Amino acid sequence: MNDVTKSPILFLKPVLKQMVWGGSRLHEVFGYETDADNVGECWGIAAHPNGDSSINCEKFHERFSNLTLSALWKKEPKLFGDYDTAQFPLLIKIIDAKSDLSIQVHPDDAYAAREENGSLGKMECWYIIDCPEDAVLVVGHNAKTKEELEEMVQEGKWDELIRKVPIKKGDFIQIDPGTVHAITAGCLILETQQNSDITYRLYDYGRKVDGKLRELHIKQSLDVIQVPAKSAKDSVMGTLDLPKNQMNQLISCQYYNVYKLVVSGRCLVPNHESFLNMSVLEGNGLIDGVSIRKGDHFIIPANYGEVRIEGELVIIASTAN
Ligand code: ZN
């Protein structure tokens, strides 16, 4: 058990977001409480003005009662390892796409700072929790030059432009800023991203929502799309054969490190000097004696010490850089 001086693990209450493309699996598969039938996103670890998780006091002390993650970040910086950023740096979501999402692209920090009132850009990555057989995602495009890209967009040659890559359960995909991308119908995805909500919509399949086309951001998209795109084969990584009971690093980039941890029996996670985010995607078990199950999101404080996890679990974890 924890000694009393140790900061407890921070369990979070997620924020659920209704989306036109959302489904019912966040409720049915993960058990999040909602009456809505089009919940597209669960913001599991979030400290953003558009969604701020609160600390779950049922599992823990009054020290944190009624605090949001963004408030705790300011109030108790030592819990997180004294980062020098004003905002909690990452955002962890589970996304349930009942229908195709629009085709979009995110800016990098420099473009967002200049064009979006000092916002952060957005780098993100996806872990495929579940998807239909023969599923494809939109990752990248087929234009070889900026001129070709502009021509294909202006002339609406979407089938030629958009690059689809096959995926299966357990795949991991890094989406750099400037990468054209879209999640497709039937995919259930854990997304780890920079703490930003800036998205440019390039194409929406001509669909109408409540009788209207949704706004597109063609100029901004053309400004930020990277040409040529990263190769398709470098974009997707399988993770089903990784060893159990250890932190397997899936990516390390400027903003985050993401790990997959499959626990079978018992495992010890070493101390981290920075805080460690965890989201349970499958199974149930115990973390330092506290029960955890599919759908739980929590943060292990900086310098917490070794963590003992028992049970049968699939966890995606991350640290900030
Ligand atoms: Zn995105």
Side-chain angles (χ1 to χ4, degrees), residues 104-106 122 124 126 175 181 191 193 199:
Q104 44 188 253
V105 61
H106 305 298
K122 185 162 157 188
E124 68 189 38
W126 299 335
I175 305 284
H181 62 280
E191 182 174 272
Q193 57 160 93
T199 294

Side-chain angles (χ1 to χ4, degrees), residues 134-137 164-168 171 236:
D134 306 322
V136 293
L137 291 175
K164 294 180 175 167
V165 299
I167 50 138
K168 58 188 184 315
D171 280 349
V236 181

Side-chain angles (χ1 to χ4, degrees), residues 83 88-90 92 192-193 247 249 251-259 271-278 300 316-321:
Y83 269 76
F88 186 83
L90 301 179
I92 318 293
T192 305
Q193 57 160 93
M247 296 277 276
Q249 189 171 69
I251 187 92
S252 176
C253 69
Q254 192 182 346
Y255 301 103
Y256 47 72
N257 309 296
V258 175
Y259 306 87
N271 180 47
H272 284 253
E273 285 171 18
S274 98
F275 64 97
L276 179 64
N277 302 314
M278 285 194 172
I300 296 163
I316 294 292
S318 56
T319 57
N321 278 334

Side-chain angles (χ1 to χ4, degrees), residues 78-132:
K78 286 213 165 3
L79 282 175
F80 302 95
D82 283 322
Y83 269 76
D84 58 2
T85 56
Q87 290 176 350
F88 186 83
L90 301 179
L91 175 51
I92 318 293
K93 296 177 183 175
I94 298 177
I95 297 172
D96 174 22
K98 190 174 169 188
S99 49
D100 292 339
L101 275 69
S102 61
I103 292 174
Q104 44 188 253
V105 61
H106 305 298
D108 63 12
D109 285 346
Y111 188 91
R114 204 169 62 236
E115 304 290 332
E116 303 289 349
N117 299 316
S119 275
L120 291 175
K122 185 162 157 188
M123 187 175 278
E124 68 189 38
C125 60
W126 299 335
Y127 176 82
I128 311 297
I129 303 169
D130 198 15
C131 65

